[in-house]
Amino acid sequence: MTMQIQHLRYFVAVARAGHFTRAAASLKVSQPTLSKQIHSLEDDLGAPLFRRERGGVVLTPAGEVLLPVARRILADADTARREVAELVGLRRGRVRLGATPSLAAALVPPVLRRFHGAHPGIELHVEQSGSQDLVRHLVGGELDLALIILPDQGTDPALLAEPILRESLVLASAREEMPGPVRITDLRDRPLLMFRTGYDLRDATLAAFRREGVEPSFVVEGGEMDTVLGFVEAGLGVALVPGMVVVGRPGLHATPLAPPGIRRTVALAHRRETPPTHAAAAMRATLLDHVAEASLPPGVERSALER
């Protein structure tokens, strides 16, 4: 077999774009060159990888099997290049960090400021998304580290996820409209602002309402974190959010929830079988140092950290 890293890189680009022309443009190669490389890979594997459909291409069963493997191989090759570069003395590298929207807004900025001050030559790439997407990108080798919300049943076995914080959700409102703590049943007829599908907060909120047999009354659905907080500040409704995102926003009031409340575990995750690069290990250390030293808002507590 003469399969090369370049073949896999082209294959992943076509799979991502769903179209040969768009993939060729993203790779800055001609379409005939790209098609030739894909045909060569298919010849090596003995199976077609794409099926043409109206408007583009889709993966065949063989392509679906190859895609996660190709992503891991490319991620490992990229890691190897960066590790060797560091070992021969190049003072540069890259960290790809993922975080949920609430953590990206409240926790990540001071960590990045601290890290950049200590390692100015390291490129920082931040992806903001829901935990499910972040887990998938970690497993696929597209991220080095990610701050995720740990499900009760644990996360993907391909990952190591170390709990770092436990946080409580609070009721965010434009003013103190009811004495706390507030029960979920108290929100039966309150206009509720709801996050878009894919947000961990959406799932946690809906699960809490279901447990109490309450039907939520949505006034706006589908927002991102900053959008929802802006709607709350404008007085459109209330939202259940992590207490840390309310800190520093004088237009918001946080009311605690009555026991048992809604609690979540924040974890720092990376791939189990791939040791972090030197740069990613330095980012992990910086983040853990910040969590250990930072003044935490009410409702947030540290987990036992391994240093």
Side-chain angles (χ1 to χ4, degrees), residues 5 9 74 76-86:
I5 292 293
R9 199 175 304 281
L74 292 174
D76 289 341
D78 189 41
T79 297
R81 280 193 296 269
R82 287 185 283 123
E83 286 288 275
V84 169
E86 291 177 17

Side-chain angles (χ1 to χ4, degrees), residues 22-305:
R22 288 196 292 268
S26 70
L27 293 166
K28 294 181 173 57
V29 300
S30 67
Q31 183 174 336
T33 296
L34 176 60
S35 297
K36 182 178 179 180
Q37 295 288 338
I38 295 299
H39 288 320
S40 176
L41 179 58
E42 290 175 329
D43 289 343
D44 284 341
L45 295 174
L49 299 174
F50 295 102
R51 182 177 69 255
R52 293 191 178 276
E53 290 194 351
R54 186 175 182 178
V57 295
V58 296
L59 290 169
T60 64
E64 292 177 352
V65 169
L66 178 62
L67 183 58
V69 177
R71 284 174 170 162
R72 287 197 295 271
I73 291 173
L74 292 174
D76 289 341
D78 189 41
T79 297
R81 280 193 296 269
R82 287 185 283 123
E83 286 288 275
V84 169
E86 291 177 17
L87 288 174
V88 298
L90 294 178
R91 300 180 64 83
R92 56 192 176 99
R94 180 181 66 173
V95 178
R96 301 165 301 172
L97 175 67
T100 63
S102 61
L103 297 170
L107 180 60
V108 169
V111 172
L112 295 189
R113 182 175 62 246
R114 182 171 180 167
F115 182 86
H116 181 68
H119 308 282
I122 303 298
E123 296 179 19
L124 299 173
H125 297 261
V126 178
E127 176 180 334
Q128 180 176 294
S129 191
S131 288
Q132 294 179 10
D133 290 339
L134 296 176
V135 165
R136 186 169 63 252
H137 294 165
L138 273 174
V139 173
E142 298 166 48
L143 291 172
D144 301 306
L145 300 166
L147 288 161
I148 63 172
I149 304 303
L150 197 61
D152 292 337
Q153 69 274 19
T155 191
D156 192 295
L159 302 180
L160 282 174
E162 49 187 326
I164 60 172
L165 292 171
R166 287 278 290 167
E167 62 176 356
S168 298
L169 299 191
V170 300
L171 181 71
S173 59
R175 56 191 180 278
E176 189 173 0
E177 299 179 359
M178 59 180 66
V182 63
R183 300 184 300 271
I184 295 297
T185 52
D186 296 331
L187 305 177
R188 187 186 308 271
D189 299 318
R190 299 298 305 278
L192 192 67
L193 297 161
M194 180 51 63
F195 298 93
R196 65 168 173 81
T197 301
Y199 261 58
D200 306 282
L201 287 170
R202 180 187 181 92
D203 296 338
T205 300
L206 294 179
F209 273 78
R210 283 195 299 268
R211 285 195 297 269
E212 298 297 331
V214 176
E215 185 69 26
S217 177
F218 299 142
V219 62
V220 179
E221 276 196 83
E224 303 283 347
M225 174 60 69
D226 284 343
T227 303
V228 167
L229 294 178
F231 289 161
V232 174
E233 289 172 324
L236 289 174
V238 298
L240 294 176
V241 301
M244 67 174 67
V245 304
V246 181
V247 175
R249 297 187 75 132
L252 294 177
H253 178 79
T255 303
L257 298 181
I262 306 175
R263 304 268 294 163
R264 350 190 280 173
T265 299
V266 177
L268 179 60
H270 63 84
R271 290 168 60 198
R272 183 181 297 273
E273 296 181 358
T274 304
T277 65
H278 293 314
M283 173 62 77
R284 174 186 177 274
T286 301
L287 195 149
L288 295 185
D289 285 343
H290 174 77
V291 169
E293 300 166 9
S295 176
L296 300 179
V300 181
E301 60 188 36
R302 298 173 181 86
S303 298
L305 300 176

